[in-house]
Amino acid sequence: MFETEVFLKSKPWIKVFILSFVILLLPLAASSQSDEKWGVDGNSYYRLEKNELFQYLLPADKPVLVLSKEQLTPAGIATPLLVNYFSFSEDQKKVL
């Protein structure tokens, strides 16, 4: 047996702790991936907030509205489209 196996067998609560830790952290890691993206210039980042897309210019961390709820609302529909994930076109001129 390896030392790790002996250690885990002597302390069974460690397996539960490690498994709990991984299960609790996975949703946090997954949710943070789609909310923010760094700008290609490296001097700003983009963040979804209340279904609107903002660019934060650094170092001042000043928000600039990029995509509003009104722009996400199709003609003839009362509610805006729900955004869960976003990316940009290669030329950075279109939000996908």
Side-chain angles (χ1 to χ4, degrees):
M1 263 193 229
F2 296 107
E3 289 181 28
T4 305
E5 292 176 42
V6 172
F7 179 76
L8 290 175
K9 283 186 178 187
S10 67
K11 302 194 185 320
W13 60 270
I14 290 182
K15 287 181 185 178
V16 174
F17 176 77
I18 291 171
L19 184 60
S20 300
F21 186 74
V22 169
I23 289 172
L24 290 173
L25 285 183
L26 281 177
L28 292 175
S31 68
S32 67
Q33 290 176 357
S34 62
D35 294 330
E36 292 182 359
K37 291 192 181 302
W38 278 102
V40 293
D41 61 1
N43 295 320
S44 64
Y45 63 95
Y46 296 86
R47 178 186 289 168
L48 281 173
E49 295 178 4
K50 298 180 182 175
N51 211 40
E52 292 185 307
L53 182 61
F54 289 90
Q55 178 184 24
Y56 285 83
L57 305 170
L58 300 175
D61 210 26
K62 179 183 172 187
V64 175
L65 182 63
V66 175
L67 192 60
S68 68
K69 289 181 184 178
E70 290 78 22
Q71 291 172 298
L72 289 168
T73 306
I77 306 291
T79 57
L81 300 172
L82 181 61
V83 178
N84 291 320
Y85 178 82
F86 68 95
S87 63
F88 293 95
S89 59
E90 284 188 36
D91 63 2
Q92 300 294 302
K93 293 183 179 182
K94 297 177 185 172
V95 180
L96 308 172

